[in-house]
Amino acid sequence: MASDPRDSDRAPGPRHSDASPDPRDSRLIVLDMAGTTVADGGLVEQAFDVAARHLGVEPGSADHAEKLAYVRATMGESKISVFRHLFGDEAAARRANTAFETAYGELVDGGRIAPVPGAREAIEALQAAGRTVVLSTGFARVTQDALLDALGWQDLVPLTLCPADAGRGRPYPDMVLTALLRTGATDSVRRIAVAGDTSYDMLSGRRAGASVVAGVLTGAHDRAQLESAGATHVLGSVAELPALLGVV
């Protein structure tokens, strides 16, 4: 039988399957902080009130209600991006962001946060099983560091990321892809797992190509919101993630 002339044009190499990857194959785990691994009891809204007042937006006004609704809808997004949308010009956005980060940091320093139950244990179990865990946030670095210090998590994971570390925050894929580039934990985005409590976490994970994009119900958004944004799984909390990834 004559050979197919097209065979000579086929590049040698491994064949790739279109089958969905097994979650147990995940090697890089990118976790959100507030609402996912950290319980902050609504401190974002309290800090927003401070920032809004700083720019002359009075609580109880229609303007305040409209802006607060946007903050709730965009939980998980880079905070400076939120304030750019709300206040327009760059100078006003930066003033609001500075006031927000200062207020949030003071609330954190006042002992108003705690780990989500089972979060630290989940991170440690994943790392003990050879997975690389990265913590990411939509907050500025100064606020992320305040959270890590308050929890005693400074050395818990090998890498923590905020939007400034990656170029853009959520819903862009930059932080997830930066985690991959900096850790070298895997050779494929399909072996990344992302977990978070907001639609923006889900969008970021899907856009990065992660095969596991797990929503958790301990934070800002509900099951319907997480699924509509592309969640591949919805968990009660991050404490359930090790079992999903085959680590028990």
Side-chain angles (χ1 to χ4, degrees):
M1 177 183 295
S3 62
D4 186 337
R6 293 171 298 177
D7 288 343
S8 61
D9 295 329
R10 292 172 184 157
R15 295 179 180 271
H16 299 284
S17 171
D18 291 332
S20 297
D22 189 324
R24 294 173 295 181
D25 291 336
S26 301
R27 289 296 174 266
L28 173 61
I29 322 300
V30 182
L31 303 178
D32 172 52
M33 294 188 68
T36 302
T37 55
V38 181
D40 70 0
L43 298 192
V44 168
E45 292 188 16
Q46 294 179 46
F48 166 75
D49 283 341
V50 173
R53 281 197 186 108
H54 190 74
L55 271 78
V57 180
E58 288 301 321
S61 67
D63 188 26
H64 182 278
E66 181 179 344
K67 285 180 167 57
L68 179 57
Y70 184 82
V71 168
R72 287 171 174 161
T74 57
M75 287 287 191
E77 185 178 358
S78 167
K79 293 300 176 285
I80 184 62
S81 296
V82 171
F83 288 122
R84 283 177 181 138
H85 175 88
L86 291 177
F87 296 106
D89 71 273
E90 186 68 14
R94 290 194 176 276
R95 290 199 305 273
N97 191 63
T98 297
F100 171 88
E101 299 283 356
T102 299
Y104 193 94
E106 289 173 351
L107 291 166
V108 168
D109 291 342
R112 300 285 298 279
I113 64 162
V116 166
R120 180 174 187 132
E121 293 81 359
I123 293 168
E124 291 174 337
L126 289 165
Q127 293 188 133
R131 317 298 172 89
T132 299
V133 179
V134 173
L135 292 173
S136 65
T137 185
F139 295 134
R141 168 56 61 183
V142 64
T143 305
Q144 185 176 37
D145 285 344
L147 286 169
L148 295 167
D149 289 346
L151 297 169
W153 284 11
Q154 301 94 327
D155 300 316
L156 181 60
V157 298
L159 179 65
T160 62
L161 294 171
C162 68
D165 297 322
R168 298 176 298 182
R170 307 179 191 110
Y172 297 102
D174 300 28
M175 285 197 289
V176 177
L177 297 177
T178 297
L180 172 61
L181 292 171
R182 291 201 186 178
T183 64
T186 178
D187 59 359
S188 172
V189 293
R190 302 297 286 160
R191 301 180 81 186
I192 299 174
V194 172
D197 66 298
T198 72
S199 298
Y200 280 66
D201 294 301
M202 305 299 97
L203 288 169
S204 177
R206 293 300 293 248
R207 290 171 177 176
S211 61
V212 174
V213 181
V216 297
L217 299 174
T218 51
H221 292 163
D222 61 23
R223 177 182 292 273
Q225 291 170 298
L226 295 168
E227 289 180 340
S228 68
T232 60
H233 305 79
V234 177
L235 309 176
S237 84
V238 73
E240 299 173 18
L241 188 61
L244 173 64
L245 302 183
V247 175
V248 293

